[in-house]
Amino acid sequence: MSTPASSPSPPSSKVAGIHPPLPPVQHTPGPPSQENRRSAAIRRPGLTEDRLAGWISDLTTVQALTERIGRTGTLAEAIHETLHAGASLLGARRAFLALRPLEPPGPWQSPGGEQLAGLGLDRADLGQWETVPRASACHTRLLDARPGAEPTEIGHRDIAGESALHPQHRAVAARLGCAASYALPLTTDAEHPLGAAVWLFDRPGVPEPRQRQLLARCLRPAARHLAGRLELSRARRAIATVRDELLPARLPRLPGVALAARQRAEPLGGAVCYDALALPDAGLGLAIGATPETGPAALAAMGRLRAGLRAYAVMEGEDPVAVLSDLELLLRLTEPGHAATALFGYAEPAVRRLVFASAGHPPPLVIGERGAEYADTALSAPLNMLACWEAPSVELELNGGETVLLYSEGMLRRAGWPSDAAFTRLRAAAADAPPAARADPEALLDHLLTALPPRPRAGGRPNADTVLLAARFH
């Protein structure tokens, strides 16, 4: 029988933890009397207000959860808040999210390789779910489904009692104490979902329709935000790979000298590279260069600059001024408008001799038993800043046990700002190194990075990459 128009329908139950369910309205059989009509008129506004208040409260809750997801800055934070939002709406205690691999599988490859992240689950627990066959696991079924095809959601009311599930699925759920589950895909405008989320329950049951509606409303913006964080993570990983290619795979081993290097990359740091290469006649080339520009284009330009520097070092490395002059000409012809600082030194470890030239780069720091001092260098402009670059070379006669330190501007920014105070702090940190650290270049670099931890950005300036290259002469 249809409900009379004068009698509103019972309201649907609210999400657990948000609003208690409202009691159903008692309908009056037969034609309403005048007194019943008066009572209904009194009750109807209150009931409408309760419904409206419930809807507003639900939407406010979803908005608050969505805003928390949108404020996350990293992919890991976005995943955690997404799972936490679903757990709050569904009353779940544990959950996990599976993201597609960074590169889609080829036609000859089987699906797989999803990245799993959990809420209330450790790495071992996630490994248990990875053993469930793809045809039975909720997240893989959603990820493997054809676009526009079912299922769009998967709920298991009683995992232990569902004989259609794979035995391994039921065994993993029993081992982890999971009685029920509910899964949804994370979809954007792309053809395939970027991932799937699974919420786990300690007792049998499935979420109510209102809970599922609120969760779906929350996951739509969450999926878009996750897609953005994922794309940013991929871009940063690609840039990190290119940055690593600017660095030597290993440092050479030559008699009479011990080498060590450290690199600490910053998300917005400029392109920095260093190099140490064995040269003819037992020589050693030491180089460091940087550009204030950021992004893939700056990294590519620095890669070409490093390749040119290595070639010139092999051809005329004994004359650092000639090496930097050739490099400046190369930069002016192939990278117009791109400035860079560089320092190149030619060392003869057997006689503890170092000749170097600088193009706008901070001077080397010589560290020994008596303290630390900067090498005297003439003022010079960065490469590609003048019509013709040239600066005199500097020769150092080193004592046994002394270390020459090359460093990037990022190390100075760790030491502080302005630059005068940064130079002072860096020299003081090197002079205060214990004897054991001064005797080992690896320990010396660790000491400097510990003594000068990263500092907040000064004056809105972005932090630069920190690069250290140390050469200790025996």
Side-chain angles (χ1 to χ4, degrees):
M1 178 181 297
S2 61
T3 304
S6 60
S7 299
S9 304
S12 58
S13 59
K14 302 298 186 292
V15 175
I18 298 179
H19 283 293
L22 296 175
V25 180
Q26 299 296 329
H27 301 294
T28 304
S33 62
Q34 183 177 0
E35 182 179 354
N36 291 335
R37 286 195 297 269
R38 188 182 302 109
S39 299
I42 295 175
R43 288 197 303 267
R44 189 180 302 112
L47 178 60
T48 304
E49 291 175 0
D50 287 342
R51 283 180 172 178
L52 183 60
W55 291 335
I56 293 175
S57 179
D58 290 344
L59 293 177
T60 301
T61 300
V62 171
Q63 181 179 0
L65 294 173
T66 303
E67 288 178 352
R68 287 188 57 173
I69 297 171
R71 286 194 296 267
T72 56
T74 66
L75 179 61
E77 293 172 352
I79 291 175
H80 175 80
E81 289 298 336
T82 299
L83 294 176
H84 179 269
S88 301
L89 294 172
L90 301 180
R93 188 169 58 91
R94 293 172 292 177
F96 67 89
L97 187 146
L99 288 176
R100 286 188 179 276
L102 296 181
E103 298 296 336
W108 61 89
Q109 296 173 310
S110 60
E114 291 85 9
Q115 306 174 54
L116 267 61
L119 175 70
L121 300 171
D122 58 24
R123 183 62 252 178
D125 297 335
L126 296 175
Q128 292 284 333
W129 286 110
E130 289 176 337
T131 65
V132 178
R134 297 188 67 85
S136 182
C138 301
H139 62 286
T140 50
R141 288 175 58 193
L142 291 172
L143 292 176
D144 295 343
R146 296 189 308 274
E150 298 291 338
T152 57
E153 61 177 0
I154 300 176
H156 295 300
R157 178 184 296 273
D158 184 6
I159 297 178
E162 295 188 25
S163 59
L165 293 178
H166 193 278
Q168 178 66 7
H169 191 160
R170 298 198 302 271
V172 169
R175 194 177 302 123
L176 299 180
C178 302
S181 65
Y182 180 70
L184 279 179
L186 296 168
T187 58
T188 59
D189 296 333
E191 181 180 3
H192 297 280
L194 62 90
V198 182
W199 286 269
L200 307 170
F201 305 93
D202 299 336
R203 293 181 297 179
V206 293
E208 298 178 357
R210 189 61 172 275
Q211 292 174 302
R212 299 199 297 269
Q213 292 174 5
L214 293 176
L215 178 60
R217 184 184 295 270
C218 183
L219 284 189
R220 282 192 289 270
R224 291 192 294 269
H225 184 73
L226 279 171
R229 296 298 96 184
L230 184 61
E231 191 63 31
L232 180 60
S233 178
R234 290 171 175 171
R236 286 176 174 173
R237 186 179 290 107
I239 291 177
T241 301
V242 175
R243 182 187 286 116
D244 291 342
E245 292 298 323
L246 296 178
L247 309 178
R250 61 181 180 85
L251 298 174
R253 293 187 177 184
L254 297 175
V257 64
L259 301 173
R262 294 287 187 275
Q263 187 237 7
R264 299 292 185 269
E266 294 287 341
L268 299 178
V272 181
C273 72
Y274 70 89
D275 211 343
L277 62 159
L279 297 176
D281 300 326
L284 172 66
L286 301 173
I288 186 169
T291 175
E293 303 175 30
T294 61
L299 290 173
M302 183 56 66
R304 293 188 290 269
L305 197 66
R306 176 174 177 261
L309 188 147
R310 298 197 104 195
Y312 298 140
V314 171
M315 292 188 296
E316 46 191 355
E318 296 183 10
D319 186 357
V321 172
V323 171
L324 292 187
S325 297
D326 293 342
L327 193 64
E328 198 278 338
L329 179 60
L330 175 68
L331 188 66
R332 183 150 40 93
L333 294 177
T334 61
E335 309 288 343
H338 292 279
T341 65
L343 187 149
F344 177 77
Y346 175 78
E348 296 176 274
V351 295
R352 295 194 293 270
R353 176 175 173 268
L354 175 65
V355 182
F356 68 90
S358 173
H361 204 82
L365 182 62
V366 181
I367 306 165
E369 294 181 357
R370 298 182 179 180
E373 294 294 337
Y374 290 104
D376 292 331
T377 57
L379 292 176
S380 60
L383 301 176
N384 214 11
M385 293 291 290
L386 300 176
C388 180
W389 177 91
E390 185 172 347
S393 62
V394 177
E395 181 175 337
L396 297 177
E397 297 291 341
L398 302 167
N399 298 319
E402 287 188 327
T403 298
V404 176
L405 177 70
L406 307 185
Y407 51 92
S408 66
E409 185 186 350
M411 191 64 196
L412 292 175
R413 294 195 186 179
R414 291 171 71 107
W417 203 263
S419 59
D420 291 343
F423 280 111
T424 302
R425 292 192 183 102
L426 176 58
R427 181 177 59 186
D432 292 341
R438 289 197 295 268
D440 180 3
E442 297 280 354
L444 176 63
L445 298 188
D446 291 338
H447 165 78
L448 293 176
L449 292 174
T450 302
L452 300 172
R455 299 168 61 92
R457 298 177 183 179
R461 297 170 62 93
N463 291 332
D465 289 358
T466 298
V467 169
L468 297 172
L469 176 61
R472 184 180 187 272
F473 293 84
H474 303 322

